[in-house]
Amino acid sequence: MKPTIAILGAGPLLGLSVARAFGSQGYAVALIARRQASLDAMVDELGEAGIEAVGFVADLTHAAQLVAAFAAIKARFGRVDVLEFSPLAMAFVPPSQVTAETARSAFEFLTVGAINAVRQVLPDMQARDEGALLFASGRSSLLPMKLLGSMGLGAAALRNYVYSLAEELKDSGIYVGTVPVFARMDRAAADAVAALYLNMIAARDRIECVYGDDAAACEIAAITQRAAPFVLPCG
């Protein structure tokens, strides 16, 4: 049986590059996105490259749709060996205009969406003691951005979740990693992030690797990883 990667929030840039990178390594690919037409186009393109891929329609903000999608993925492929989470949303809301509704929406989209997806695959991975959970994010996960006053909240919370999950699973055979992208997402960047994912899974020596030339972000990532695990002071 081929290993399977499930790509959540699959799109024509990063999602397609990840599918190609893992497909070239012998993975079958399950693509999850909201629009059937986009999924069909990616499946056709991957098929032309000799990569087995199937599209599954689901909105990550609807837990029931995710449950149904992953049930269909397991019925088709047997299991999920790698989960990649990289949905894209650009809501330009300055901090002064953030409301409870916009903050909640960002948190539901990024953090809750990731949690719900992980819960669909983690129990099986734990039973096998193997697997990988991969997450892509952007600048606002590490550095505040005034144009992303709401989405930055969700991105930062997602990063916190990834680190705490990595700490919990560090002694298991399950790898957890994240790549914040500090660059314009084009085909070259998407291909580079996909290759970085493969390197991170192989090395398993870091939780986070910044893509892009940003010294401050790299320093924050390095400090966070050196400080983990997080231990509460006594007394």
Side-chain angles (χ1 to χ4, degrees):
M1 184 194 314
K2 288 182 180 180
T4 300
I5 181 170
I7 301 173
L8 185 55
L13 283 174
L14 182 55
L16 186 59
S17 287
V18 172
R20 284 185 174 277
F22 280 80
S24 70
Q25 299 298 310
Y27 281 77
V29 178
L31 301 167
I32 307 170
R34 291 179 296 175
R35 290 180 287 275
Q36 187 68 58
S38 175
L39 289 168
D40 290 344
M42 287 186 286
V43 167
D44 289 345
E45 186 169 342
L46 292 168
E48 291 174 1
I51 297 171
E52 181 182 3
V54 179
F56 300 86
V57 175
D59 185 330
L60 66 87
T61 63
H62 294 276
Q65 291 185 20
L66 277 184
V67 170
F70 277 99
I73 290 169
K74 292 172 187 177
R76 173 66 175 80
F77 294 111
R79 71 189 201 188
V80 174
D81 298 274
V82 178
L83 172 70
E84 194 273 341
F85 182 86
S86 56
L88 176 64
M90 297 297 288
F92 297 106
V93 181
S96 62
Q97 301 302 310
V98 171
T99 64
E101 181 180 354
T102 56
R104 188 178 299 110
S105 176
F107 186 78
E108 289 280 341
F109 181 74
L110 291 173
T111 312
V112 176
I115 291 169
N116 284 336
V118 168
R119 288 179 64 84
Q120 302 310 307
V121 300
L122 184 56
D124 289 342
M125 290 182 178
Q126 289 175 309
R128 302 191 307 269
D129 197 30
E130 64 179 4
L133 305 168
L134 304 172
F135 305 83
S137 62
R139 295 172 183 263
S140 60
S141 63
L142 285 93
L143 298 173
M145 298 177 65
K146 67 179 182 180
L147 289 178
L148 298 177
S150 61
M151 295 309 300
L153 300 175
L158 173 60
R159 181 174 183 262
N160 187 291
Y161 170 66
V162 170
Y163 264 90
S164 60
L165 187 62
E167 171 60 19
E168 179 185 356
L169 300 175
K170 68 177 182 178
D171 295 324
S172 74
I174 303 165
Y175 172 73
V176 182
T178 182
V179 178
V181 179
F182 276 66
R184 180 177 178 272
M185 184 54 71
D186 54 19
R187 177 57 59 204
D191 287 346
V193 172
L196 188 54
Y197 275 152
L198 288 172
N199 291 337
M200 292 169 72
I201 287 178
R204 295 180 176 237
D205 60 353
R206 51 191 161 166
I207 299 169
E208 183 173 38
C209 186
V210 175
Y211 174 75
D213 185 16
D214 190 287
C218 291
E219 183 176 358
I220 291 170
I223 291 171
T224 308
Q225 292 180 92
R226 286 199 303 270
F230 311 107
V231 180
L232 293 175
C234 299

